[in-house]
Amino acid sequence: MCALLGGCTTQPTLKPLCPPLVAYGHEQQTALAQELRTHPDLKEVPLFLTDYANERNELRAACRS
């Protein structure tokens, strides 16, 4: 009987725990872009940074839900 009644209750809405994102200032982003332009031999770093940016965007979206 309890199992049947338990199915009638509303389930709580689960919200993910969101760690704080590090805020990068305009100067830091400009310095990073300059370093990447200065070292065109760094092939993998831009790929990692793109993945990191995508993960940050997904985390922001998940935390707004």
Side-chain angles (χ1 to χ4, degrees):
M1 184 67 169
C2 290
L4 294 174
L5 291 176
C8 296
T9 63
T10 59
Q11 297 296 323
T13 303
L14 299 177
K15 186 173 181 178
L17 297 175
C18 298
L21 292 175
V22 175
Y24 297 104
H26 180 71
E27 290 179 7
Q28 290 171 308
Q29 292 179 44
T30 301
L32 175 61
Q34 179 60 37
E35 285 182 22
L36 290 172
R37 282 191 294 273
T38 304
H39 300 283
D41 55 319
L42 299 175
K43 305 275 188 231
E44 298 297 323
V45 174
L47 296 173
F48 277 77
L49 291 175
T50 300
D51 288 343
Y52 180 63
N54 290 336
E55 288 176 5
R56 288 173 60 94
N57 289 335
E58 290 173 7
L59 184 58
R60 278 190 199 97
C63 289
R64 276 183 282 212
S65 303

Short mmCIF file of all heavy atoms in Angstrom, two decimals:
data_model
loop_
_atom_site.label_atom_id
_atom_site.label_comp_id
_atom_site.label_asym_id
_atom_site.label_seq_id
_atom_site.Cartn_x
_atom_site.Cartn_y
_atom_site.Cartn_z
N MET A 1 0.82 -1.19 0.00
CA MET A 1 0.00 0.00 0.00
C MET A 1 0.87 1.26 0.00
O MET A 1 0.58 2.21 -0.71
CB MET A 1 -0.92 -0.04 1.23
CG MET A 1 -1.88 1.08 1.30
SD MET A 1 -3.07 0.93 -0.04
CE MET A 1 -4.25 2.10 0.40
N CYS A 2 1.92 1.25 0.82
CA CYS A 2 2.80 2.41 0.89
C CYS A 2 3.48 2.69 -0.46
O CYS A 2 3.66 3.83 -0.84
CB CYS A 2 3.87 2.23 1.97
SG CYS A 2 3.19 2.29 3.63
N ALA A 3 3.84 1.63 -1.15
CA ALA A 3 4.49 1.80 -2.45
C ALA A 3 3.53 2.46 -3.44
O ALA A 3 3.94 3.30 -4.25
CB ALA A 3 4.96 0.46 -2.99
N LEU A 4 2.27 2.11 -3.36
CA LEU A 4 1.29 2.72 -4.25
C LEU A 4 1.08 4.19 -3.93
O LEU A 4 0.98 5.02 -4.82
CB LEU A 4 -0.04 1.97 -4.17
CG LEU A 4 -0.03 0.53 -4.70
CD1 LEU A 4 -1.36 -0.15 -4.43
CD2 LEU A 4 0.29 0.51 -6.18
N LEU A 5 1.01 4.52 -2.66
CA LEU A 5 0.82 5.91 -2.26
C LEU A 5 2.06 6.75 -2.55
O LEU A 5 1.96 7.93 -2.86
CB LEU A 5 0.46 5.99 -0.78
CG LEU A 5 -0.92 5.44 -0.41
CD1 LEU A 5 -1.11 5.49 1.10
CD2 LEU A 5 -2.02 6.21 -1.11
N GLY A 6 3.20 6.14 -2.44
CA GLY A 6 4.45 6.85 -2.71
C GLY A 6 4.55 7.30 -4.15
O GLY A 6 5.17 8.31 -4.46
N GLY A 7 3.91 6.60 -5.06
CA GLY A 7 3.92 6.96 -6.46
C GLY A 7 3.05 8.17 -6.76
O GLY A 7 3.15 8.77 -7.83
N CYS A 8 2.21 8.56 -5.81
CA CYS A 8 1.30 9.69 -6.03
C CYS A 8 1.92 11.03 -5.63
O CYS A 8 1.36 12.08 -5.92
CB CYS A 8 0.00 9.49 -5.25
SG CYS A 8 -0.94 8.05 -5.82
N THR A 9 2.99 10.99 -4.93
CA THR A 9 3.61 12.24 -4.48
C THR A 9 4.37 12.88 -5.63
O THR A 9 4.83 12.21 -6.55
CB THR A 9 4.58 12.01 -3.30
OG1 THR A 9 5.63 11.17 -3.75
CG2 THR A 9 3.87 11.38 -2.12
N THR A 10 4.50 14.17 -5.56
CA THR A 10 5.28 14.87 -6.58
C THR A 10 6.76 14.73 -6.25
O THR A 10 7.15 14.78 -5.08
CB THR A 10 4.91 16.36 -6.65
OG1 THR A 10 5.14 16.96 -5.38
CG2 THR A 10 3.47 16.55 -7.05
N GLN A 11 7.54 14.54 -7.27
CA GLN A 11 8.98 14.38 -7.09
C GLN A 11 9.63 15.75 -6.97
O GLN A 11 9.25 16.67 -7.70
CB GLN A 11 9.58 13.61 -8.27
CG GLN A 11 9.07 12.19 -8.42
CD GLN A 11 9.46 11.32 -7.25
OE1 GLN A 11 10.55 11.44 -6.71
NE2 GLN A 11 8.55 10.47 -6.83
N PRO A 12 10.59 15.89 -6.09
CA PRO A 12 11.27 17.18 -5.99
C PRO A 12 12.09 17.45 -7.25
O PRO A 12 12.58 16.53 -7.90
CB PRO A 12 12.19 17.02 -4.78
CG PRO A 12 12.40 15.55 -4.67
CD PRO A 12 11.13 14.92 -5.18
N THR A 13 12.18 18.70 -7.61
CA THR A 13 12.99 19.08 -8.76
C THR A 13 14.45 19.11 -8.33
O THR A 13 14.79 19.79 -7.36
CB THR A 13 12.58 20.47 -9.28
OG1 THR A 13 11.20 20.43 -9.60
CG2 THR A 13 13.37 20.86 -10.49
N LEU A 14 15.26 18.36 -9.02
CA LEU A 14 16.67 18.31 -8.69
C LEU A 14 17.42 19.38 -9.49
O LEU A 14 17.22 19.50 -10.69
CB LEU A 14 17.25 16.93 -8.99
CG LEU A 14 16.63 15.77 -8.21
CD1 LEU A 14 17.25 14.46 -8.66
CD2 LEU A 14 16.82 15.96 -6.73
N LYS A 15 18.24 20.12 -8.80
CA LYS A 15 19.04 21.14 -9.46
C LYS A 15 20.51 20.76 -9.24
O LYS A 15 20.91 20.46 -8.13
CB LYS A 15 18.76 22.52 -8.87
CG LYS A 15 19.46 23.63 -9.60
CD LYS A 15 19.01 24.98 -9.11
CE LYS A 15 19.75 26.02 -9.93
NZ LYS A 15 19.37 27.37 -9.57
N PRO A 16 21.30 20.77 -10.31
CA PRO A 16 22.70 20.37 -10.14
C PRO A 16 23.47 21.37 -9.27
O PRO A 16 23.15 22.55 -9.24
CB PRO A 16 23.25 20.37 -11.57
CG PRO A 16 22.34 21.28 -12.32
CD PRO A 16 21.00 21.18 -11.66
N LEU A 17 24.43 20.85 -8.56
CA LEU A 17 25.32 21.73 -7.80
C LEU A 17 26.31 22.33 -8.78
O LEU A 17 26.97 21.61 -9.52
CB LEU A 17 26.07 20.94 -6.72
CG LEU A 17 25.20 20.32 -5.64
CD1 LEU A 17 26.05 19.47 -4.70
CD2 LEU A 17 24.48 21.41 -4.85
N CYS A 18 26.38 23.62 -8.81
CA CYS A 18 27.21 24.30 -9.79
C CYS A 18 28.42 24.96 -9.13
O CYS A 18 28.25 25.84 -8.29
CB CYS A 18 26.40 25.36 -10.53
SG CYS A 18 25.03 24.66 -11.45
N PRO A 19 29.60 24.53 -9.52
CA PRO A 19 30.79 25.20 -8.98
C PRO A 19 30.90 26.59 -9.58
O PRO A 19 30.43 26.84 -10.69
CB PRO A 19 31.95 24.31 -9.45
CG PRO A 19 31.43 23.64 -10.67
CD PRO A 19 29.95 23.47 -10.46
N PRO A 20 31.50 27.52 -8.86
CA PRO A 20 31.65 28.86 -9.41
C PRO A 20 32.63 28.85 -10.59
O PRO A 20 33.64 28.15 -10.56
CB PRO A 20 32.19 29.68 -8.25
CG PRO A 20 32.83 28.68 -7.34
CD PRO A 20 32.07 27.40 -7.52
N LEU A 21 32.30 29.60 -11.62
CA LEU A 21 33.20 29.73 -12.76
C LEU A 21 34.19 30.85 -12.49
O LEU A 21 33.84 31.87 -11.90
CB LEU A 21 32.41 30.06 -14.03
CG LEU A 21 31.49 28.97 -14.55
CD1 LEU A 21 30.69 29.48 -15.74
CD2 LEU A 21 32.29 27.76 -14.96
N VAL A 22 35.40 30.65 -12.92
CA VAL A 22 36.42 31.69 -12.80
C VAL A 22 36.10 32.77 -13.83
O VAL A 22 35.82 32.47 -14.99
CB VAL A 22 37.82 31.10 -13.05
CG1 VAL A 22 38.87 32.19 -13.05
CG2 VAL A 22 38.14 30.03 -12.03
N ALA A 23 36.11 34.00 -13.39
CA ALA A 23 35.86 35.12 -14.30
C ALA A 23 37.19 35.62 -14.86
O ALA A 23 38.08 35.98 -14.10
CB ALA A 23 35.14 36.24 -13.57
N TYR A 24 37.32 35.59 -16.17
CA TYR A 24 38.53 36.08 -16.82
C TYR A 24 38.24 37.47 -17.35
O TYR A 24 37.28 37.68 -18.09
CB TYR A 24 38.94 35.15 -17.97
CG TYR A 24 39.30 33.76 -17.50
CD1 TYR A 24 38.43 32.69 -17.68
CD2 TYR A 24 40.51 33.52 -16.86
CE1 TYR A 24 38.76 31.42 -17.24
CE2 TYR A 24 40.84 32.25 -16.42
CZ TYR A 24 39.95 31.20 -16.61
OH TYR A 24 40.28 29.96 -16.17
N GLY A 25 39.08 38.40 -16.97
CA GLY A 25 38.91 39.78 -17.41
C GLY A 25 39.33 39.98 -18.86
O GLY A 25 39.96 39.12 -19.47
N HIS A 26 38.95 41.13 -19.38
CA HIS A 26 39.27 41.45 -20.77
C HIS A 26 40.78 41.45 -20.99
O HIS A 26 41.26 40.95 -22.02
CB HIS A 26 38.67 42.82 -21.13
CG HIS A 26 38.96 43.23 -22.53
ND1 HIS A 26 38.37 42.62 -23.62
CD2 HIS A 26 39.80 44.18 -23.04
CE1 HIS A 26 38.83 43.18 -24.73
NE2 HIS A 26 39.69 44.12 -24.40
N GLU A 27 41.55 41.99 -20.06
CA GLU A 27 43.01 42.02 -20.20
C GLU A 27 43.60 40.62 -20.26
O GLU A 27 44.51 40.35 -21.05
CB GLU A 27 43.63 42.82 -19.06
CG GLU A 27 43.36 44.31 -19.14
CD GLU A 27 43.97 45.07 -17.97
OE1 GLU A 27 44.72 44.47 -17.18
OE2 GLU A 27 43.68 46.27 -17.86
N GLN A 28 43.09 39.72 -19.42
CA GLN A 28 43.58 38.34 -19.43
C GLN A 28 43.25 37.65 -20.75
O GLN A 28 44.09 36.93 -21.31
CB GLN A 28 42.96 37.55 -18.27
CG GLN A 28 43.46 37.97 -16.91
CD GLN A 28 42.66 37.31 -15.82
OE1 GLN A 28 41.43 37.37 -15.81
NE2 GLN A 28 43.36 36.65 -14.90
N GLN A 29 42.05 37.86 -21.24
CA GLN A 29 41.66 37.24 -22.50
C GLN A 29 42.48 37.80 -23.66
O GLN A 29 42.89 37.05 -24.56
CB GLN A 29 40.17 37.46 -22.75
CG GLN A 29 39.31 36.71 -21.76
CD GLN A 29 37.83 36.95 -22.00
OE1 GLN A 29 37.37 36.93 -23.13
NE2 GLN A 29 37.09 37.19 -20.92
N THR A 30 42.76 39.10 -23.62
CA THR A 30 43.57 39.72 -24.66
C THR A 30 45.00 39.18 -24.61
O THR A 30 45.60 38.89 -25.65
CB THR A 30 43.58 41.25 -24.49
OG1 THR A 30 42.22 41.71 -24.56
CG2 THR A 30 44.39 41.93 -25.57
N ALA A 31 45.55 39.03 -23.41
CA ALA A 31 46.90 38.50 -23.26
C ALA A 31 46.98 37.06 -23.77
O ALA A 31 47.95 36.69 -24.45
CB ALA A 31 47.34 38.57 -21.79
N LEU A 32 45.97 36.25 -23.48
CA LEU A 32 45.96 34.88 -23.96
C LEU A 32 45.89 34.84 -25.49
O LEU A 32 46.63 34.09 -26.12
CB LEU A 32 44.78 34.11 -23.37
CG LEU A 32 44.57 32.69 -23.88
CD1 LEU A 32 45.78 31.82 -23.58
CD2 LEU A 32 43.31 32.09 -23.31
N ALA A 33 45.04 35.67 -26.06
CA ALA A 33 44.93 35.71 -27.52
C ALA A 33 46.26 36.12 -28.14
O ALA A 33 46.68 35.54 -29.16
CB ALA A 33 43.82 36.68 -27.93
N GLN A 34 46.95 37.08 -27.54
CA GLN A 34 48.24 37.52 -28.05
C GLN A 34 49.27 36.39 -27.97
O GLN A 34 50.04 36.18 -28.91
CB GLN A 34 48.74 38.75 -27.28
CG GLN A 34 50.08 39.26 -27.73
CD GLN A 34 50.08 39.68 -29.20
OE1 GLN A 34 49.10 40.22 -29.69
NE2 GLN A 34 51.17 39.40 -29.89
N GLU A 35 49.29 35.67 -26.87
CA GLU A 35 50.22 34.55 -26.73
C GLU A 35 49.96 33.49 -27.79
O GLU A 35 50.89 32.92 -28.36
CB GLU A 35 50.11 33.93 -25.33
CG GLU A 35 50.76 34.77 -24.26
CD GLU A 35 50.66 34.11 -22.88
OE1 GLU A 35 50.49 32.87 -22.82
OE2 GLU A 35 50.78 34.83 -21.89
N LEU A 36 48.69 33.21 -28.04
CA LEU A 36 48.36 32.21 -29.05
C LEU A 36 48.78 32.67 -30.44
O LEU A 36 49.25 31.87 -31.25
CB LEU A 36 46.87 31.88 -29.02
CG LEU A 36 46.39 31.10 -27.80
CD1 LEU A 36 44.88 31.02 -27.78
CD2 LEU A 36 47.00 29.72 -27.77
N ARG A 37 48.62 33.95 -30.74
CA ARG A 37 49.05 34.47 -32.04
C ARG A 37 50.58 34.46 -32.17
O ARG A 37 51.12 34.25 -33.24
CB ARG A 37 48.52 35.90 -32.25
CG ARG A 37 47.07 35.94 -32.65
CD ARG A 37 46.66 37.33 -33.11
NE ARG A 37 46.72 38.32 -32.04
CZ ARG A 37 45.73 38.57 -31.19
NH1 ARG A 37 44.58 37.92 -31.29
NH2 ARG A 37 45.87 39.48 -30.25
N THR A 38 51.26 34.69 -31.05
CA THR A 38 52.72 34.73 -31.05
C THR A 38 53.32 33.35 -31.28
O THR A 38 54.42 33.23 -31.80
CB THR A 38 53.24 35.30 -29.71
OG1 THR A 38 52.65 36.58 -29.52
CG2 THR A 38 54.74 35.44 -29.70
N HIS A 39 52.60 32.31 -30.88
CA HIS A 39 53.10 30.94 -30.99
C HIS A 39 52.19 30.11 -31.88
O HIS A 39 51.41 29.27 -31.40
CB HIS A 39 53.20 30.30 -29.60
CG HIS A 39 54.11 31.03 -28.68
ND1 HIS A 39 55.47 30.94 -28.77
CD2 HIS A 39 53.85 31.90 -27.67
CE1 HIS A 39 56.02 31.70 -27.83
NE2 HIS A 39 55.07 32.29 -27.17
N PRO A 40 52.26 30.30 -33.19
CA PRO A 40 51.38 29.54 -34.09
C PRO A 40 51.67 28.04 -34.11
O PRO A 40 50.87 27.27 -34.61
CB PRO A 40 51.65 30.17 -35.46
CG PRO A 40 53.00 30.78 -35.34
CD PRO A 40 53.16 31.18 -33.90
N ASP A 41 52.80 27.63 -33.52
CA ASP A 41 53.14 26.21 -33.47
C ASP A 41 52.30 25.46 -32.43
O ASP A 41 52.31 24.23 -32.40
CB ASP A 41 54.63 26.03 -33.18
CG ASP A 41 55.07 26.75 -31.92
OD1 ASP A 41 54.61 27.90 -31.70
OD2 ASP A 41 55.87 26.18 -31.15
N LEU A 42 51.58 26.17 -31.60
CA LEU A 42 50.72 25.52 -30.61
C LEU A 42 49.43 25.08 -31.29
O LEU A 42 48.49 25.84 -31.43
CB LEU A 42 50.41 26.47 -29.45
CG LEU A 42 51.62 26.97 -28.66
CD1 LEU A 42 51.18 28.00 -27.62
CD2 LEU A 42 52.32 25.81 -27.97
N LYS A 43 49.38 23.85 -31.72
CA LYS A 43 48.24 23.34 -32.47
C LYS A 43 47.11 22.83 -31.57
O LYS A 43 45.94 22.99 -31.88
CB LYS A 43 48.67 22.20 -33.39
CG LYS A 43 49.81 22.56 -34.32
CD LYS A 43 49.30 23.21 -35.55
CE LYS A 43 50.44 23.38 -36.54
NZ LYS A 43 50.58 24.68 -37.05
N GLU A 44 47.47 22.22 -30.46
CA GLU A 44 46.47 21.59 -29.60
C GLU A 44 45.83 22.57 -28.62
O GLU A 44 44.67 22.38 -28.24
CB GLU A 44 47.10 20.44 -28.81
CG GLU A 44 47.63 19.31 -29.68
CD GLU A 44 46.54 18.63 -30.48
OE1 GLU A 44 45.41 18.47 -29.97
OE2 GLU A 44 46.81 18.27 -31.64
N VAL A 45 46.54 23.59 -28.22
CA VAL A 45 46.03 24.50 -27.19
C VAL A 45 44.70 25.14 -27.61
O VAL A 45 43.75 25.16 -26.82
CB VAL A 45 47.08 25.57 -26.82
CG1 VAL A 45 46.51 26.61 -25.87
CG2 VAL A 45 48.30 24.90 -26.20
N PRO A 46 44.57 25.66 -28.83
CA PRO A 46 43.27 26.24 -29.21
C PRO A 46 42.13 25.22 -29.16
O PRO A 46 41.00 25.57 -28.79
CB PRO A 46 43.50 26.73 -30.64
CG PRO A 46 44.96 26.98 -30.72
CD PRO A 46 45.58 25.91 -29.86
N LEU A 47 42.41 23.96 -29.49
CA LEU A 47 41.37 22.93 -29.41
C LEU A 47 40.92 22.71 -27.96
O LEU A 47 39.72 22.62 -27.68
CB LEU A 47 41.87 21.61 -30.00
CG LEU A 47 42.21 21.63 -31.49
CD1 LEU A 47 42.84 20.30 -31.90
CD2 LEU A 47 40.97 21.92 -32.31
N PHE A 48 41.89 22.67 -27.05
CA PHE A 48 41.56 22.49 -25.63
C PHE A 48 40.78 23.69 -25.11
O PHE A 48 39.82 23.54 -24.36
CB PHE A 48 42.84 22.30 -24.80
CG PHE A 48 43.36 20.90 -24.81
CD1 PHE A 48 44.03 20.40 -25.91
CD2 PHE A 48 43.17 20.07 -23.73
CE1 PHE A 48 44.51 19.09 -25.92
CE2 PHE A 48 43.64 18.77 -23.72
CZ PHE A 48 44.32 18.28 -24.83
N LEU A 49 41.17 24.89 -25.52
CA LEU A 49 40.48 26.09 -25.07
C LEU A 49 39.05 26.14 -25.61
O LEU A 49 38.13 26.58 -24.91
CB LEU A 49 41.25 27.34 -25.49
CG LEU A 49 42.58 27.56 -24.76
CD1 LEU A 49 43.30 28.76 -25.33
CD2 LEU A 49 42.35 27.72 -23.26
N THR A 50 38.85 25.67 -26.82
CA THR A 50 37.50 25.63 -27.39
C THR A 50 36.63 24.65 -26.61
O THR A 50 35.48 24.96 -26.27
CB THR A 50 37.56 25.23 -28.88
OG1 THR A 50 38.33 26.21 -29.58
CG2 THR A 50 36.17 25.15 -29.48
N ASP A 51 37.18 23.49 -26.29
CA ASP A 51 36.44 22.51 -25.49
C ASP A 51 36.12 23.08 -24.11
O ASP A 51 35.01 22.90 -23.59
CB ASP A 51 37.23 21.21 -25.33
CG ASP A 51 37.28 20.40 -26.61
OD1 ASP A 51 36.46 20.67 -27.51
OD2 ASP A 51 38.15 19.53 -26.71
N TYR A 52 37.07 23.76 -23.52
CA TYR A 52 36.88 24.37 -22.20
C TYR A 52 35.77 25.42 -22.26
O TYR A 52 34.91 25.48 -21.38
CB TYR A 52 38.20 24.99 -21.73
CG TYR A 52 38.13 25.64 -20.38
CD1 TYR A 52 37.83 24.91 -19.23
CD2 TYR A 52 38.38 27.00 -20.23
CE1 TYR A 52 37.77 25.51 -17.99
CE2 TYR A 52 38.33 27.61 -19.00
CZ TYR A 52 38.02 26.86 -17.88
OH TYR A 52 37.97 27.47 -16.66
N ALA A 53 35.76 26.24 -23.30
CA ALA A 53 34.71 27.24 -23.46
C ALA A 53 33.35 26.59 -23.61
O ALA A 53 32.35 27.05 -23.03
CB ALA A 53 35.01 28.14 -24.65
N ASN A 54 33.28 25.50 -24.37
CA ASN A 54 32.01 24.78 -24.53
C ASN A 54 31.52 24.21 -23.21
O ASN A 54 30.33 24.28 -22.89
CB ASN A 54 32.15 23.67 -25.57
CG ASN A 54 32.30 24.21 -26.97
OD1 ASN A 54 31.90 25.33 -27.27
ND2 ASN A 54 32.90 23.41 -27.84
N GLU A 55 32.43 23.66 -22.42
CA GLU A 55 32.06 23.11 -21.11
C GLU A 55 31.55 24.21 -20.19
O GLU A 55 30.57 24.03 -19.46
CB GLU A 55 33.24 22.40 -20.47
CG GLU A 55 33.57 21.09 -21.14
CD GLU A 55 34.81 20.43 -20.56
OE1 GLU A 55 35.37 20.92 -19.56
OE2 GLU A 55 35.23 19.41 -21.13
N ARG A 56 32.18 25.39 -20.22
CA ARG A 56 31.72 26.52 -19.40
C ARG A 56 30.32 26.94 -19.83
O ARG A 56 29.47 27.23 -18.97
CB ARG A 56 32.71 27.68 -19.50
CG ARG A 56 34.01 27.44 -18.77
CD ARG A 56 35.02 28.54 -19.03
NE ARG A 56 34.59 29.86 -18.63
CZ ARG A 56 34.85 30.44 -17.47
NH1 ARG A 56 35.58 29.80 -16.59
NH2 ARG A 56 34.43 31.66 -17.20
N ASN A 57 30.07 26.99 -21.13
CA ASN A 57 28.73 27.36 -21.61
C ASN A 57 27.68 26.35 -21.19
O ASN A 57 26.57 26.72 -20.79
CB ASN A 57 28.74 27.52 -23.13
CG ASN A 57 29.50 28.74 -23.57
OD1 ASN A 57 29.64 29.72 -22.82
ND2 ASN A 57 30.01 28.71 -24.79
N GLU A 58 28.02 25.06 -21.26
CA GLU A 58 27.09 24.01 -20.83
C GLU A 58 26.83 24.09 -19.33
O GLU A 58 25.70 23.89 -18.88
CB GLU A 58 27.63 22.64 -21.21
CG GLU A 58 27.61 22.38 -22.70
CD GLU A 58 28.31 21.09 -23.10
OE1 GLU A 58 28.70 20.31 -22.21
OE2 GLU A 58 28.45 20.86 -24.30
N LEU A 59 27.86 24.39 -18.56
CA LEU A 59 27.70 24.51 -17.12
C LEU A 59 26.81 25.71 -16.78
O LEU A 59 25.93 25.62 -15.92
CB LEU A 59 29.07 24.66 -16.44
CG LEU A 59 29.08 24.72 -14.93
CD1 LEU A 59 28.44 23.48 -14.33
CD2 LEU A 59 30.50 24.88 -14.42
N ARG A 60 27.02 26.82 -17.47
CA ARG A 60 26.16 28.00 -17.25
C ARG A 60 24.70 27.64 -17.54
O ARG A 60 23.79 28.01 -16.78
CB ARG A 60 26.58 29.15 -18.14
CG ARG A 60 27.73 29.94 -17.64
CD ARG A 60 27.92 31.20 -18.47
NE ARG A 60 29.27 31.71 -18.27
CZ ARG A 60 30.31 31.50 -19.05
NH1 ARG A 60 30.18 30.80 -20.16
NH2 ARG A 60 31.49 32.00 -18.76
N ALA A 61 24.45 26.95 -18.65
CA ALA A 61 23.08 26.58 -19.01
C ALA A 61 22.47 25.64 -17.98
O ALA A 61 21.31 25.78 -17.62
CB ALA A 61 23.07 25.94 -20.40
N ALA A 62 23.25 24.68 -17.50
CA ALA A 62 22.75 23.73 -16.51
C ALA A 62 22.42 24.44 -15.19
O ALA A 62 21.44 24.09 -14.52
CB ALA A 62 23.76 22.62 -16.27
N CYS A 63 23.20 25.43 -14.84
CA CYS A 63 22.99 26.12 -13.56
C CYS A 63 21.80 27.07 -13.63
O CYS A 63 21.24 27.44 -12.61
CB CYS A 63 24.26 26.86 -13.15
SG CYS A 63 25.56 25.74 -12.65
N ARG A 64 21.43 27.50 -14.83
CA ARG A 64 20.25 28.37 -14.97
C ARG A 64 18.96 27.57 -14.87
O ARG A 64 17.92 28.12 -14.58
CB ARG A 64 20.28 29.10 -16.31
CG ARG A 64 21.11 30.36 -16.26
CD ARG A 64 21.02 31.03 -17.58
NE ARG A 64 21.92 30.27 -18.43
CZ ARG A 64 22.60 30.75 -19.42
NH1 ARG A 64 22.46 31.97 -19.80
NH2 ARG A 64 23.45 30.02 -20.10
N SER A 65 19.03 26.30 -15.15
CA SER A 65 17.82 25.45 -15.16
C SER A 65 17.28 25.26 -13.76
O SER A 65 17.93 25.22 -12.81
CB SER A 65 18.12 24.09 -15.76
OG SER A 65 18.63 24.23 -17.06
#
